């Protein structure tokens, strides 16, 4: 059986585009049939497509990814996955945007050391950048709140006659359906407002 070249393309949300990654993977020897595509956060490795891909990997197969953050976001998890794939499965990994992270090259002790070192540095930098992004977001939200910006869902205004109609409904003078009709509310909105009033 010939060794296979697999690709992994991942974006974090459904509205992001994968075309650039897929094009790059094909240009680096991936058959489109063996490219696994994910539109999911890389916060961990419990992702359906990734798990199928990892299960398919065999000794001397090659996993190609565009950049290290396409594999995942968590520093320690990336290191663990890298070692599991390269040491336990004995497959190779190639990171297109970082030629030093290519286990098909320099398969000696020094090559492994350099690859491991670069991987750890890059993973650390990526994780630090995510920490800074979260910190900047938090600071931005705090500043906006001090300026009176409101976050979260807007409170739904009670329609005219709300108090009287709800009182009649609670006293079993009218049904919920009649109350909704009098207030011109959908069922979901009606019960949402009732629960907010409790």
């Amino acid at each position: 059986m010939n060794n296979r070249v697999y690709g992994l393309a991942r974006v974090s949300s459904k509205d992001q585009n994968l075309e650039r990654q897929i094009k790059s993977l094909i240009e680096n020897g991936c058959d489109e049939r063996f490219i696994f595509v994910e539109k999911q956060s890389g916060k961990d490795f419990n992702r359906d497509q990734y798990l199928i891909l990892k299960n398919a990997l065999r000794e001397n197969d090659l996993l190609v990814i565009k950049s290290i953050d396409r594999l995942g976001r968590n520093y320690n998890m990336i290191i663990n996955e890298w070692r599991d794939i390269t040491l336990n499965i004995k497959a190779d990994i190639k990171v297109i945007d970082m030629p030093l992270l290519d286990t098909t090259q320099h398969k000696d002790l020094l090559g492994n050391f350099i690859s491991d070192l670069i991987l750890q540095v890059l993973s650390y930098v990526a994780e630090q950048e995510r920490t800074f992004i979260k910190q900047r977001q938090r600071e931005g939200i705090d500043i906006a709140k001090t300026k009176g910006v409101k976050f979260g869902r807007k409170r739904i205004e009670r329609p005219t006659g709300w108090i009287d109609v709800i009182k009649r409904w609670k006293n079993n003078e009218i049904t919920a359906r009649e109350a909704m009709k009098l207030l011109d509310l959908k069922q979901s909105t009606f019960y949402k407002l009732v629960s907010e009033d409790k």
Side-chain angles (χ1 to χ4, degrees), residues 159-179:
T160 306
W162 171 261
I163 294 171
D164 285 343
V165 171
I166 291 303
K167 190 175 179 183
R168 289 174 61 200
W169 171 64
K170 286 181 177 177
N171 291 335
N172 293 321
E173 295 171 25
I174 57 172
T175 64
R177 191 169 299 282
E178 288 170 326

PDB file of all heavy atoms in Angstrom, residues 159-179:
ATOM      1  N   PRO A 159     -46.144  45.179  25.999  1.00  0.00           N
ATOM      2  CA  PRO A 159     -47.152  45.892  25.203  1.00  0.00           C
ATOM      3  C   PRO A 159     -48.155  46.623  26.101  1.00  0.00           C
ATOM      4  O   PRO A 159     -48.298  46.315  27.284  1.00  0.00           O
ATOM      5  CB  PRO A 159     -47.837  44.771  24.407  1.00  0.00           C
ATOM      6  CG  PRO A 159     -47.524  43.519  25.136  1.00  0.00           C
ATOM      7  CD  PRO A 159     -46.255  43.730  25.887  1.00  0.00           C
ATOM      8  N   THR A 160     -48.847  47.567  25.502  1.00  0.00           N
ATOM      9  CA  THR A 160     -49.878  48.326  26.221  1.00  0.00           C
ATOM     10  C   THR A 160     -50.923  47.364  26.765  1.00  0.00           C
ATOM     11  O   THR A 160     -51.386  46.461  26.062  1.00  0.00           O
ATOM     12  CB  THR A 160     -50.552  49.338  25.257  1.00  0.00           C
ATOM     13  OG1 THR A 160     -49.529  50.122  24.656  1.00  0.00           O
ATOM     14  CG2 THR A 160     -51.521  50.241  25.996  1.00  0.00           C
ATOM     15  N   GLY A 161     -51.302  47.549  28.007  1.00  0.00           N
ATOM     16  CA  GLY A 161     -52.324  46.693  28.625  1.00  0.00           C
ATOM     17  C   GLY A 161     -51.752  45.432  29.250  1.00  0.00           C
ATOM     18  O   GLY A 161     -52.501  44.576  29.733  1.00  0.00           O
ATOM     19  N   TRP A 162     -50.445  45.301  29.270  1.00  0.00           N
ATOM     20  CA  TRP A 162     -49.789  44.075  29.766  1.00  0.00           C
ATOM     21  C   TRP A 162     -50.257  43.714  31.187  1.00  0.00           C
ATOM     22  O   TRP A 162     -50.674  42.577  31.427  1.00  0.00           O
ATOM     23  CB  TRP A 162     -48.266  44.268  29.723  1.00  0.00           C
ATOM     24  CG  TRP A 162     -47.489  43.168  30.404  1.00  0.00           C
ATOM     25  CD1 TRP A 162     -46.959  43.194  31.655  1.00  0.00           C
ATOM     26  CD2 TRP A 162     -47.186  41.879  29.866  1.00  0.00           C
ATOM     27  NE1 TRP A 162     -46.326  42.011  31.932  1.00  0.00           N
ATOM     28  CE2 TRP A 162     -46.455  41.174  30.845  1.00  0.00           C
ATOM     29  CE3 TRP A 162     -47.465  41.245  28.674  1.00  0.00           C
ATOM     30  CZ2 TRP A 162     -45.995  39.875  30.657  1.00  0.00           C
ATOM     31  CZ3 TRP A 162     -47.008  39.948  28.473  1.00  0.00           C
ATOM     32  CH2 TRP A 162     -46.289  39.278  29.450  1.00  0.00           C
ATOM     33  N   ILE A 163     -50.199  44.660  32.087  1.00  0.00           N
ATOM     34  CA  ILE A 163     -50.504  44.363  33.497  1.00  0.00           C
ATOM     35  C   ILE A 163     -51.935  43.853  33.659  1.00  0.00           C
ATOM     36  O   ILE A 163     -52.185  42.843  34.326  1.00  0.00           O
ATOM     37  CB  ILE A 163     -50.242  45.605  34.390  1.00  0.00           C
ATOM     38  CG1 ILE A 163     -48.744  45.918  34.384  1.00  0.00           C
ATOM     39  CG2 ILE A 163     -50.745  45.380  35.816  1.00  0.00           C
ATOM     40  CD1 ILE A 163     -48.360  47.233  35.037  1.00  0.00           C
ATOM     41  N   ASP A 164     -52.903  44.529  33.007  1.00  0.00           N
ATOM     42  CA  ASP A 164     -54.311  44.114  33.119  1.00  0.00           C
ATOM     43  C   ASP A 164     -54.543  42.732  32.535  1.00  0.00           C
ATOM     44  O   ASP A 164     -55.218  41.891  33.149  1.00  0.00           O
ATOM     45  CB  ASP A 164     -55.223  45.117  32.393  1.00  0.00           C
ATOM     46  CG  ASP A 164     -55.398  46.409  33.191  1.00  0.00           C
ATOM     47  OD1 ASP A 164     -55.089  46.387  34.398  1.00  0.00           O
ATOM     48  OD2 ASP A 164     -55.826  47.418  32.594  1.00  0.00           O
ATOM     49  N   VAL A 165     -53.998  42.501  31.340  1.00  0.00           N
ATOM     50  CA  VAL A 165     -54.233  41.213  30.660  1.00  0.00           C
ATOM     51  C   VAL A 165     -53.597  40.073  31.458  1.00  0.00           C
ATOM     52  O   VAL A 165     -54.211  39.019  31.649  1.00  0.00           O
ATOM     53  CB  VAL A 165     -53.687  41.246  29.209  1.00  0.00           C
ATOM     54  CG1 VAL A 165     -53.731  39.872  28.573  1.00  0.00           C
ATOM     55  CG2 VAL A 165     -54.473  42.259  28.371  1.00  0.00           C
ATOM     56  N   ILE A 166     -52.375  40.275  31.947  1.00  0.00           N
ATOM     57  CA  ILE A 166     -51.686  39.225  32.714  1.00  0.00           C
ATOM     58  C   ILE A 166     -52.436  38.933  34.016  1.00  0.00           C
ATOM     59  O   ILE A 166     -52.567  37.777  34.432  1.00  0.00           O
ATOM     60  CB  ILE A 166     -50.209  39.624  32.993  1.00  0.00           C
ATOM     61  CG1 ILE A 166     -49.417  39.609  31.682  1.00  0.00           C
ATOM     62  CG2 ILE A 166     -49.537  38.710  34.009  1.00  0.00           C
ATOM     63  CD1 ILE A 166     -49.441  38.289  30.930  1.00  0.00           C
ATOM     64  N   LYS A 167     -52.964  39.995  34.638  1.00  0.00           N
ATOM     65  CA  LYS A 167     -53.746  39.817  35.873  1.00  0.00           C
ATOM     66  C   LYS A 167     -54.973  38.954  35.592  1.00  0.00           C
ATOM     67  O   LYS A 167     -55.283  38.031  36.361  1.00  0.00           O
ATOM     68  CB  LYS A 167     -54.151  41.189  36.421  1.00  0.00           C
ATOM     69  CG  LYS A 167     -54.762  41.155  37.802  1.00  0.00           C
ATOM     70  CD  LYS A 167     -55.012  42.566  38.304  1.00  0.00           C
ATOM     71  CE  LYS A 167     -55.637  42.540  39.675  1.00  0.00           C
ATOM     72  NZ  LYS A 167     -55.952  43.884  40.146  1.00  0.00           N
ATOM     73  N   ARG A 168     -55.678  39.245  34.492  1.00  0.00           N
ATOM     74  CA  ARG A 168     -56.869  38.454  34.106  1.00  0.00           C
ATOM     75  C   ARG A 168     -56.493  37.006  33.805  1.00  0.00           C
ATOM     76  O   ARG A 168     -57.203  36.073  34.188  1.00  0.00           O
ATOM     77  CB  ARG A 168     -57.546  39.085  32.891  1.00  0.00           C
ATOM     78  CG  ARG A 168     -58.246  40.398  33.214  1.00  0.00           C
ATOM     79  CD  ARG A 168     -58.790  41.085  31.976  1.00  0.00           C
ATOM     80  NE  ARG A 168     -59.775  40.270  31.294  1.00  0.00           N
ATOM     81  CZ  ARG A 168     -60.136  40.414  30.017  1.00  0.00           C
ATOM     82  NH1 ARG A 168     -59.595  41.379  29.291  1.00  0.00           N
ATOM     83  NH2 ARG A 168     -61.025  39.628  29.483  1.00  0.00           N
ATOM     84  N   TRP A 169     -55.336  36.826  33.137  1.00  0.00           N
ATOM     85  CA  TRP A 169     -54.875  35.465  32.793  1.00  0.00           C
ATOM     86  C   TRP A 169     -54.528  34.683  34.063  1.00  0.00           C
ATOM     87  O   TRP A 169     -54.911  33.522  34.215  1.00  0.00           O
ATOM     88  CB  TRP A 169     -53.675  35.565  31.846  1.00  0.00           C
ATOM     89  CG  TRP A 169     -52.989  34.253  31.590  1.00  0.00           C
ATOM     90  CD1 TRP A 169     -53.518  33.163  30.971  1.00  0.00           C
ATOM     91  CD2 TRP A 169     -51.659  33.886  31.961  1.00  0.00           C
ATOM     92  NE1 TRP A 169     -52.600  32.147  30.927  1.00  0.00           N
ATOM     93  CE2 TRP A 169     -51.438  32.573  31.529  1.00  0.00           C
ATOM     94  CE3 TRP A 169     -50.628  34.558  32.610  1.00  0.00           C
ATOM     95  CZ2 TRP A 169     -50.236  31.902  31.721  1.00  0.00           C
ATOM     96  CZ3 TRP A 169     -49.422  33.895  32.797  1.00  0.00           C
ATOM     97  CH2 TRP A 169     -49.238  32.589  32.365  1.00  0.00           C
ATOM     98  N   LYS A 170     -53.810  35.321  34.983  1.00  0.00           N
ATOM     99  CA  LYS A 170     -53.412  34.649  36.220  1.00  0.00           C
ATOM    100  C   LYS A 170     -54.626  34.313  37.096  1.00  0.00           C
ATOM    101  O   LYS A 170     -54.597  33.363  37.871  1.00  0.00           O
ATOM    102  CB  LYS A 170     -52.408  35.509  37.008  1.00  0.00           C
ATOM    103  CG  LYS A 170     -51.023  35.492  36.369  1.00  0.00           C
ATOM    104  CD  LYS A 170     -50.035  36.319  37.160  1.00  0.00           C
ATOM    105  CE  LYS A 170     -48.652  36.229  36.535  1.00  0.00           C
ATOM    106  NZ  LYS A 170     -47.655  37.058  37.213  1.00  0.00           N
ATOM    107  N   ASN A 171     -55.695  35.117  36.972  1.00  0.00           N
ATOM    108  CA  ASN A 171     -56.934  34.857  37.722  1.00  0.00           C
ATOM    109  C   ASN A 171     -57.860  33.894  36.991  1.00  0.00           C
ATOM    110  O   ASN A 171     -59.018  33.714  37.379  1.00  0.00           O
ATOM    111  CB  ASN A 171     -57.678  36.164  38.009  1.00  0.00           C
ATOM    112  CG  ASN A 171     -56.940  37.035  39.005  1.00  0.00           C
ATOM    113  OD1 ASN A 171     -56.170  36.535  39.816  1.00  0.00           O
ATOM    114  ND2 ASN A 171     -57.151  38.337  38.940  1.00  0.00           N
ATOM    115  N   ASN A 172     -57.337  33.287  35.896  1.00  0.00           N
ATOM    116  CA  ASN A 172     -58.097  32.315  35.084  1.00  0.00           C
ATOM    117  C   ASN A 172     -59.364  32.901  34.469  1.00  0.00           C
ATOM    118  O   ASN A 172     -60.329  32.192  34.214  1.00  0.00           O
ATOM    119  CB  ASN A 172     -58.453  31.062  35.909  1.00  0.00           C
ATOM    120  CG  ASN A 172     -57.221  30.259  36.267  1.00  0.00           C
ATOM    121  OD1 ASN A 172     -56.298  30.126  35.458  1.00  0.00           O
ATOM    122  ND2 ASN A 172     -57.192  29.753  37.482  1.00  0.00           N
ATOM    123  N   GLU A 173     -59.376  34.223  34.249  1.00  0.00           N
ATOM    124  CA  GLU A 173     -60.516  34.861  33.594  1.00  0.00           C
ATOM    125  C   GLU A 173     -60.431  34.692  32.081  1.00  0.00           C
ATOM    126  O   GLU A 173     -61.457  34.681  31.394  1.00  0.00           O
ATOM    127  CB  GLU A 173     -60.551  36.356  33.950  1.00  0.00           C
ATOM    128  CG  GLU A 173     -60.809  36.620  35.427  1.00  0.00           C
ATOM    129  CD  GLU A 173     -60.624  38.090  35.787  1.00  0.00           C
ATOM    130  OE1 GLU A 173     -60.760  38.962  34.899  1.00  0.00           O
ATOM    131  OE2 GLU A 173     -60.337  38.368  36.978  1.00  0.00           O
ATOM    132  N   ILE A 174     -59.175  34.579  31.560  1.00  0.00           N
ATOM    133  CA  ILE A 174     -58.961  34.344  30.124  1.00  0.00           C
ATOM    134  C   ILE A 174     -57.867  33.291  29.970  1.00  0.00           C
ATOM    135  O   ILE A 174     -57.065  33.063  30.890  1.00  0.00           O
ATOM    136  CB  ILE A 174     -58.539  35.636  29.375  1.00  0.00           C
ATOM    137  CG1 ILE A 174     -57.265  36.243  30.004  1.00  0.00           C
ATOM    138  CG2 ILE A 174     -59.654  36.651  29.337  1.00  0.00           C
ATOM    139  CD1 ILE A 174     -56.687  37.396  29.210  1.00  0.00           C
ATOM    140  N   THR A 175     -57.847  32.650  28.800  1.00  0.00           N
ATOM    141  CA  THR A 175     -56.815  31.640  28.529  1.00  0.00           C
ATOM    142  C   THR A 175     -55.528  32.344  28.067  1.00  0.00           C
ATOM    143  O   THR A 175     -55.549  33.534  27.706  1.00  0.00           O
ATOM    144  CB  THR A 175     -57.261  30.676  27.417  1.00  0.00           C
ATOM    145  OG1 THR A 175     -57.399  31.419  26.192  1.00  0.00           O
ATOM    146  CG2 THR A 175     -58.577  29.987  27.769  1.00  0.00           C
ATOM    147  N   ALA A 176     -54.455  31.589  28.053  1.00  0.00           N
ATOM    148  CA  ALA A 176     -53.177  32.126  27.580  1.00  0.00           C
ATOM    149  C   ALA A 176     -53.307  32.557  26.118  1.00  0.00           C
ATOM    150  O   ALA A 176     -52.807  33.610  25.713  1.00  0.00           O
ATOM    151  CB  ALA A 176     -52.066  31.089  27.729  1.00  0.00           C
ATOM    152  N   ARG A 177     -54.006  31.742  25.334  1.00  0.00           N
ATOM    153  CA  ARG A 177     -54.202  32.074  23.914  1.00  0.00           C
ATOM    154  C   ARG A 177     -54.948  33.393  23.740  1.00  0.00           C
ATOM    155  O   ARG A 177     -54.588  34.221  22.905  1.00  0.00           O
ATOM    156  CB  ARG A 177     -54.944  30.932  23.206  1.00  0.00           C
ATOM    157  CG  ARG A 177     -54.960  31.061  21.703  1.00  0.00           C
ATOM    158  CD  ARG A 177     -55.465  29.811  21.021  1.00  0.00           C
ATOM    159  NE  ARG A 177     -54.681  28.615  21.252  1.00  0.00           N
ATOM    160  CZ  ARG A 177     -53.527  28.333  20.647  1.00  0.00           C
ATOM    161  NH1 ARG A 177     -53.025  29.171  19.784  1.00  0.00           N
ATOM    162  NH2 ARG A 177     -52.882  27.219  20.900  1.00  0.00           N
ATOM    163  N   GLU A 178     -55.975  33.596  24.564  1.00  0.00           N
ATOM    164  CA  GLU A 178     -56.732  34.857  24.506  1.00  0.00           C
ATOM    165  C   GLU A 178     -55.842  36.025  24.927  1.00  0.00           C
ATOM    166  O   GLU A 178     -55.894  37.110  24.325  1.00  0.00           O
ATOM    167  CB  GLU A 178     -57.964  34.779  25.414  1.00  0.00           C
ATOM    168  CG  GLU A 178     -59.053  33.867  24.874  1.00  0.00           C
ATOM    169  CD  GLU A 178     -60.166  33.591  25.889  1.00  0.00           C
ATOM    170  OE1 GLU A 178     -59.860  33.527  27.107  1.00  0.00           O
ATOM    171  OE2 GLU A 178     -61.316  33.454  25.462  1.00  0.00           O
ATOM    172  N   ALA A 179     -54.997  35.802  25.954  1.00  0.00           N
ATOM    173  CA  ALA A 179     -54.080  36.853  26.410  1.00  0.00           C
ATOM    174  C   ALA A 179     -53.103  37.234  25.300  1.00  0.00           C
ATOM    175  O   ALA A 179     -52.853  38.418  25.049  1.00  0.00           O
ATOM    176  CB  ALA A 179     -53.322  36.381  27.653  1.00  0.00           C
TER     177      ALA A 179
END
